[in-house]
Amino acid sequence: MENKCVVVGVTAGIAAYKICQLVSSLTKQGDEVHVIMTKDAEKFVTPLTFQTLSKQKVITDMFTVDYIPDVHHISLAKKADLFVIAPATANIIAKVSNGIADDLLTTTFLAATCPKLIVPAMNTYMLNNPITQANITKCREYGMHVMEAYAGYLACGDLGAGRLPDPEDIEDAITSLIEKDRYLTGKNILISAGATREEIDPVRYITNHSSGKMGYALARAARNAGANVTLISGQTNLRKPYGINQINVNSASEMYDAVISEFDHSDVTIMAAAVADYTPVEKADQKIKKSEGNWSLNLQRTQDILHTIGEKKKEYQMIIGFAMETENLMENAEKKLHEKNVDYIIANSLKDIGAGFGVDTNVVKIVSAHSVENLGLLSKDDTAKEILRHCLKK
Ligand code: CTP
């Protein structure tokens, strides 16, 4: 990804220390990060900490004597690809929702025209105060993006909403807003990901090795390109992506119901989930006790979701399926392409080094009725971007 300029406004909340991790991570990935602190924020974290992590001079004062033209508030406002305020106190939210510009942070924020992200963190009663809620609504009405505060134990000892979202999630929100090539704007994209779980009894289930990483990477890539994304997620250990409508399911039959109910209003459907082909005929209500000798489980076929939507597909809809194989990759991929009436099959072989379950890379071929595009070894994030570009960028 092309490196971007991110301005991080830090205000006076105890969660300010968590922003060190965010600044460090953004800087490590090559972004140019400028931190602006309010005067009171300096009581929680020193400017030197952020300066060391960002490798940029931290600015705190409008009327500093060692003025550097490049970090002047107007030039920073112009240069920013994204402006995030985190943690955002009730006070800064009140100010920015009303256009107050009485210090370096608020002045630069008011002058910036890039996407703006506000990450509230405060005491739960301050957050729930109708005045703060009205100010948050106002920020959204002005086009700013406001993350939901997390719930949990707060530094003041109260329990409730008001915690700063985790730095990884703030970074994901930044990534979702910073991309300039929004070629999927207005498109509804439905993506399934992860493994299904077929319950045998209250203790046991049948599943597979899918980590969900490829499907989630596709969901984030589609979102970054501007699409409205619905993610039907089976079992994964992955963080919920920012700005995506996520529906969690367990079994193949729950995934079937969720995909079918979303399918009609989807322009593009991508079935990346590893859906079980068989499920127990009966689920035992009580734990099955062992006995002497062998035991066998009676299984029945699940419904093939891709096949069903392939039959329902309308002219304006596109369907992309996956085929993970251990032998005869192209033959099986082409068979699935035709039998399931889909536009593309993303084929990968478990035998390829760097492809398969759990890893962060993949090796795929994009198979259509007319062509085969070999993407080679890429990260799952890059594989996702290339799949979307190849299939959807006109
Ligand atoms: N799929 C589906 N519903 C199922 C099984 C699979 O929608 N019950 C989808 C998968 O999400 C994937 C594609 O079908 O996009 C191919 O899945 P795969 O497991 O590779 O193949 P199957 O169709 O199950 O065929 P086989 O097991 O014979 O390889």
Side-chain angles (χ1 to χ4, degrees), residues 192 252 270-277 301-307 320-325 332 335-336 340 345:
S192 71
I270 309 178
M271 281 296 299
V275 188
D277 289 323
R301 283 286 302 272
T302 58
Q303 281 164 294
D304 190 322
I305 306 170
L306 197 55
H307 193 272
I320 303 174
F322 271 72
M324 180 184 265
E325 307 291 344
N332 284 322
K335 193 164 165 244
K336 284 174 189 172
K340 302 198 188 198
I345 284 285

Side-chain angles (χ1 to χ4, degrees), residues 35-313:
V35 177
I36 305 179
M37 302 179 76
T38 59
K39 268 268 151 265
D40 287 346
E42 289 181 56
K43 295 185 181 122
F44 291 91
V45 180
T46 69
L48 184 62
T49 307
F50 284 122
Q51 194 152 308
T52 310
L53 294 170
S54 67
K55 304 181 177 72
Q56 301 283 347
K57 185 170 166 50
V58 170
I59 37 182
T60 54
D61 194 354
M62 279 285 274
F63 307 106
T64 170
V65 278
D66 57 347
Y67 170 85
I68 304 173
D70 223 26
V71 292
H72 176 263
H73 68 282
I74 297 297
S75 48
L76 253 193
K78 278 188 190 152
K79 200 173 181 189
D81 293 302
L82 183 121
F83 203 134
V84 53
I85 301 184
T89 56
N91 186 46
I92 196 82
I93 294 171
K95 284 190 188 179
V96 297
S97 59
N98 285 288
I100 292 173
D102 64 352
D103 62 5
L104 187 76
L105 175 55
T106 47
T107 312
T108 316
F109 194 79
L110 193 64
T113 55
C114 61
K116 293 171 180 170
L117 177 67
I118 292 173
V119 193
M122 66 192 78
N123 168 272
T124 192
Y125 295 104
M126 293 173 83
L127 180 65
N128 291 335
N129 188 308
I131 304 174
T132 307
Q133 288 301 313
N135 289 337
I136 288 175
T137 303
K138 212 164 162 188
C139 286
R140 290 197 171 117
E141 283 166 3
Y142 282 124
M144 301 172 211
H145 301 265
V146 185
M147 285 185 89
E148 293 295 336
Y150 285 8
Y153 278 104
L154 307 176
C156 56
D158 283 339
L159 183 64
R163 285 186 53 206
L164 187 84
D166 293 342
E168 295 91 328
D169 294 334
I170 303 175
E171 193 171 335
D172 183 43
I174 291 172
T175 312
S176 79
L177 300 172
I178 213 164
E179 182 59 58
K180 293 206 167 76
D181 187 1
R182 317 286 278 187
Y183 68 97
L184 293 179
T185 299
K187 289 259 184 257
N188 294 328
I189 303 200
L190 175 62
I191 299 172
S192 71
T196 57
R197 258 184 198 177
E198 307 307 312
E199 291 195 23
I200 300 170
D201 68 9
V203 180
R204 305 166 179 103
Y205 55 81
I206 303 169
T207 190
N208 57 64
H209 288 297
S210 170
S211 64
K213 284 182 176 176
M214 194 61 240
Y216 273 57
L218 280 160
R220 288 192 305 269
R223 171 204 65 184
N224 297 350
N228 305 317
V229 178
T230 297
L231 175 64
I232 315 265
S233 178
Q235 296 300 315
T236 74
N237 290 321
L238 304 174
R239 310 185 76 87
K240 183 181 181 302
Y242 173 81
I244 280 174
N245 170 30
Q246 183 168 330
I247 301 167
N248 293 328
V249 295
N250 269 307
S251 62
S253 108
E254 281 177 29
M255 184 162 281
Y256 178 91
D257 290 343
V259 171
I260 298 302
S261 78
E262 294 293 324
F263 179 69
D264 283 349
H265 40 267
S266 296
D267 301 302
V268 181
T269 301
I270 309 178
M271 281 296 299
V275 188
D277 289 323
Y278 292 91
T279 190
V281 172
E282 279 175 10
K283 183 199 154 195
D285 289 337
Q286 307 299 333
K287 182 184 172 193
I288 299 169
K289 306 301 285 181
K290 65 176 170 296
S291 52
E292 290 307 314
N294 295 341
W295 174 66
S296 58
L297 187 61
N298 200 4
L299 299 174
Q300 63 188 1
R301 283 286 302 272
T302 58
Q303 281 164 294
D304 190 322
I305 306 170
L306 197 55
H307 193 272
T308 310
I309 59 174
E311 282 178 338
K312 286 161 74 75
K313 186 164 104 79

